Amino acid sequence: MTPVRVRFAPSPTGFLHIGGVRTAIFNYLFARHHDGQFLIRIEDTDTQRSKQEYEDDILDALKWLGLKWDEEPLRQSTRVTRHREMVEELIERGAAFRCFVPMEKAQAMKEAEMARGGINAFRSPDRELTPKESKARADAGEPYAIRFKVPTLDVAFKDHVRGTVTTPAHTIDDFIILRKDGTPTYMMAVVVDDSEMEITMVIRGADHITNTPKQVLLYQALGLPVPEFAHVPLILGPDKKRLSKRHGAAAVTEYRGKGYLPEAIMSYMATLGWSAGEDKDVYTREELIEQFDLKGINKASAVFDEQKLEWMNAQFMSQVRDCDLQQMLRPEFARRIEAGQYPHGTGPMLAEAVRLLKTRAHFPVDILDKGGYFFEDPTELEDRKAAKKRLKHEDLPARLDEMAGRFEALQTFDEEQAEEALRVYTEELEENAGALIHPVRLAVSGMGSGPSLFELLVSLGQETVVRRIRTLAAHLRKHGTPPVPDDPEQPLPKIEPLG
């Protein structure tokens, strides 16, 4: 069997868009599933819009996603001489010709023919010129483009998503393959490059399906093997229109900056319009490679849902090693310390914050945003609703002081001893354990929910826990129970440190 070779061919006229990533992923998975090769071609022939920064962004994004290519990226702009050579070969074979008809006139001729009930395509009168006549007009300085001479037979090809696609010849223009300025068109360059890169399967978006009949004709006219094709349905936004920035879709680097993990983007984009035939959403790279098949690609367009992507990111967050998450967070943690957000630093607590909060976070930075209490005593009660509900008992200041004393007296401050001390005291009070569990959580974190309380207490440390509980007790004596103004617009009083 011929070894599988596929390519991803982005244009460096903009940053790599999240929607375009799926095409790269499908090509990569197809290649790896078949032990084939995944290649990159940079289609940079649009010299006005192509920029090095865009090319760098594309390659960096692919590397970040782990889509490793097997050969050095090929730049289409280095191949222009070869493209022109192949155009000359088509002219020699009688499959292409000089066309001296201006574009505006060609369009008018096409519309007139359609109005008369003729064919729905432009047929240049210059296709009938003899080589001598054509050369004489060119030598006289008359401007021309090179067009392909479309034959009369219909064009058919097998698409691995849509089945057999047939295009009537009378709907295909005598299309341009070399412009008046001597630059080859996309249609010509792609055929030559795909052929000489020995591409066996072209996997690309459905917006290219109208190009394929023309490219098939070029392969046939040049006597080249025609690759197989799979045209993937486009990705839509929630409004069922083609995915764009108005739907929140952005460059891959922007998703990376938001804290999305490459594994999450890989899994979500691969399953956006593809299914292995099982009720499953989250796949590892290895699982995707093992199960990917073109038969699993849906014919209907898929809808991009960033909320689901965020959910998937949370699934992968819980699988990241603690040490790797710490490494991701250190730059932002250092920035916050430098900005005075954590004036006392407490860098060693980063490991504890990661350990206890990673399964509750959608993004790495959530650990810092939701876990500031690991690094600094709370200065306010973050959960207003919980504070109003849980801090209303008039004896709560005294109870908190007593609880702090009992925690302080423990010789061994572990989860078992801390839980026993709290439950024994609440039994003495003839209260449910929740009467102190919730206030203690608010005292040590300012939050109404979070990790297991007793695991959190041990993580924060005995001295910190005792100090924060006593601080909240003093706060309640000063501001009353609960310390929440009736006016929801009025801010809660700040918690002042003891002494």
Side-chain angles (χ1 to χ4, degrees), residues 91-109:
I91 295 174
E92 291 174 8
R93 289 169 176 248
F97 61 94
R98 298 183 185 90
C99 178
F100 301 92
V101 181
M103 288 291 292
E104 298 80 7
K105 185 176 180 180
Q107 183 61 31
M109 292 171 67

Side-chain angles (χ1 to χ4, degrees), residues 5-142:
R5 285 171 66 87
V6 298
R7 49 72 167 177
F8 176 55
S11 298
T13 55
F15 299 112
L16 182 59
H17 189 269
I18 190 68
V21 162
R22 189 183 64 170
T23 302
I25 290 174
F26 281 0
N27 276 279
Y28 170 85
L29 294 176
F30 184 81
R32 294 294 176 259
H33 179 79
H34 292 282
D35 295 322
Q37 293 181 306
F38 172 62
L39 310 180
I40 302 295
R41 182 171 70 236
I42 303 297
E43 299 192 337
D44 57 348
T45 53
D46 186 342
T47 56
Q48 297 296 318
R49 298 170 58 215
S50 295
K51 293 183 180 180
Q52 186 64 45
E53 65 175 304
Y54 295 144
E55 180 180 328
D56 293 342
D57 173 83
I58 291 168
L59 297 179
D60 286 346
L62 295 177
K63 288 178 183 176
W64 177 69
L65 288 168
L67 304 183
K68 185 178 180 181
W69 49 90
D70 297 302
E71 296 178 4
E72 281 297 310
L74 183 145
R75 288 169 181 79
Q76 204 167 58
S77 60
T78 66
R79 308 256 311 145
V80 172
T81 299
R82 181 57 178 157
H83 301 153
R84 289 172 180 155
E85 289 173 355
M86 298 299 275
V87 169
E88 289 298 324
E89 184 170 333
L90 286 172
I91 295 174
E92 291 174 8
R93 289 169 176 248
F97 61 94
R98 298 183 185 90
C99 178
F100 301 92
V101 181
M103 288 291 292
E104 298 80 7
K105 185 176 180 180
Q107 183 61 31
M109 292 171 67
K110 176 179 178 178
E111 292 173 358
E113 180 66 21
M114 290 172 64
R116 287 193 298 269
I119 65 171
N120 300 329
F122 170 65
R123 290 289 177 267
S124 174
D126 296 340
R127 66 184 355 235
E128 305 302 331
L129 292 175
T130 65
K132 183 176 180 181
E133 291 171 329
S134 177
K135 185 175 185 304
R137 291 177 66 174
D139 290 345
E142 191 173 344

Side-chain angles (χ1 to χ4, degrees), residues 11 38 49 60 67-68 87 136 146 151 153 174 180 186 194 229 231 234 264 345 353 364 371 390 456 472 493 498:
S11 298
F38 172 62
R49 298 170 58 215
D60 286 346
L67 304 183
K68 185 178 180 181
V87 169
I146 305 296
L153 296 177
D174 285 346
K180 291 182 179 180
Y186 165 82
D194 278 347
F229 295 92
H231 291 89
L234 301 179
R390 306 296 187 183
L456 174 61
L472 181 59
L498 293 177

Side-chain angles (χ1 to χ4, degrees), residues 280-297:
K280 183 175 179 178
D281 290 313
V282 180
Y283 287 85
T284 64
R285 181 184 304 269
E286 292 72 24
E287 289 172 333
L288 288 170
I289 290 173
E290 180 182 354
Q291 299 192 47
F292 187 80
D293 191 296
L294 294 176
K295 294 178 182 177
I297 297 177

Side-chain angles (χ1 to χ4, degrees), residues 143-397:
Y144 64 89
I146 305 296
R147 288 183 183 267
F148 181 78
K149 187 183 292 185
V150 175
T152 57
L153 296 177
D154 295 346
V155 186
F157 65 93
K158 178 186 176 183
D159 186 277
H160 283 260
V161 177
R162 299 163 179 266
T164 300
V165 177
T166 302
T167 304
H170 66 76
T171 64
I172 305 174
D173 291 338
D174 285 346
F175 55 93
I176 295 174
I177 56 177
L178 193 74
R179 301 181 185 90
K180 291 182 179 180
D181 62 2
T183 59
T185 61
Y186 165 82
M187 213 66 65
M188 187 68 198
V190 164
V191 167
V192 175
D193 291 343
D194 278 347
S195 175
E196 298 191 358
M197 291 173 72
E198 299 181 342
I199 299 303
T200 60
M201 173 71 74
V202 175
I203 305 172
R204 58 188 178 186
D207 51 333
H208 284 283
I209 201 164
T210 55
N211 294 328
T212 306
K214 299 175 183 177
Q215 292 169 1
V216 169
L217 288 173
L218 288 172
Y219 281 112
Q220 294 172 343
L222 288 165
L224 301 173
V226 181
E228 297 182 65
F229 295 92
H231 291 89
V232 181
L234 301 179
I235 301 174
L236 306 180
D239 59 0
K240 303 301 178 14
K241 295 183 179 179
R242 186 170 178 175
L243 186 66
S244 67
K245 289 186 177 180
R246 71 176 180 277
H247 301 112
V252 175
T253 46
E254 291 185 50
Y255 283 90
R256 181 180 182 178
K258 290 178 181 179
Y260 282 97
L261 302 174
E263 297 83 0
I265 290 181
M266 181 85 170
S267 180
Y268 179 69
M269 297 307 296
T271 54
L272 192 62
W274 172 84
S275 171
E278 56 187 356
D279 186 16
K280 183 175 179 178
D281 290 313
V282 180
Y283 287 85
T284 64
R285 181 184 304 269
E286 292 72 24
E287 289 172 333
L288 288 170
I289 290 173
E290 180 182 354
Q291 299 192 47
F292 187 80
D293 191 296
L294 294 176
K295 294 178 182 177
I297 297 177
N298 300 326
K299 293 182 180 180
S301 296
V303 176
F304 180 81
D305 183 352
E306 189 166 351
Q307 287 187 334
K308 185 172 182 180
L309 174 58
E310 184 175 325
W311 170 84
M312 192 169 289
N313 205 63
Q315 308 310 302
F316 282 97
M317 273 284 298
S318 64
Q319 301 174 22
V320 179
R321 296 187 307 170
D322 287 7
C323 58
D324 291 336
L325 275 175
Q326 291 177 50
Q327 192 65 27
M328 292 180 201
L329 287 170
R330 281 195 179 101
E332 174 61 17
F333 184 66
R335 188 196 67 75
R336 295 187 182 199
I337 290 176
E338 187 176 350
Q341 189 167 344
Y342 308 138
H344 303 304
T346 60
M349 291 303 293
L350 182 59
E352 291 299 303
V354 167
R355 182 175 68 86
L356 292 185
L357 295 181
K358 77 173 187 178
T359 58
R360 308 176 70 87
H362 285 190
F363 304 101
V365 75
D366 288 348
I367 294 172
L368 299 182
D369 291 341
K370 298 176 180 179
Y373 53 84
F374 279 94
F375 316 112
E376 195 68 24
D377 287 357
T379 58
E380 58 185 53
L381 297 166
E382 298 281 353
D383 192 332
R384 187 185 190 104
K385 184 177 179 180
K388 190 169 186 177
K389 180 179 180 180
R390 306 296 187 183
L391 304 180
K392 60 185 179 182
H393 197 287
E394 60 182 10
D395 292 335
L396 190 55

Side-chain angles (χ1 to χ4, degrees), residues 404-462:
R406 295 193 181 202
F407 281 153
E408 189 175 34
L410 293 176
Q411 295 299 308
T412 302
F413 193 70
D414 58 22
E415 291 180 48
E416 183 179 351
Q417 295 296 317
E419 183 173 1
E420 183 181 358
L422 186 143
R423 293 190 183 279
V424 166
Y425 181 39
T426 53
E427 287 176 7
E428 293 174 8
L429 295 171
E430 298 182 349
E431 294 272 15
N432 183 283
L436 276 180
I437 285 177
H438 299 295
V440 167
R441 180 183 295 280
L442 284 161
V444 299
S445 69
M447 309 294 290
S449 62
S452 165
L453 175 63
F454 300 104
E455 189 176 11
L456 174 61
L457 296 181
V458 174
S459 176
L460 292 172
Q462 187 175 23

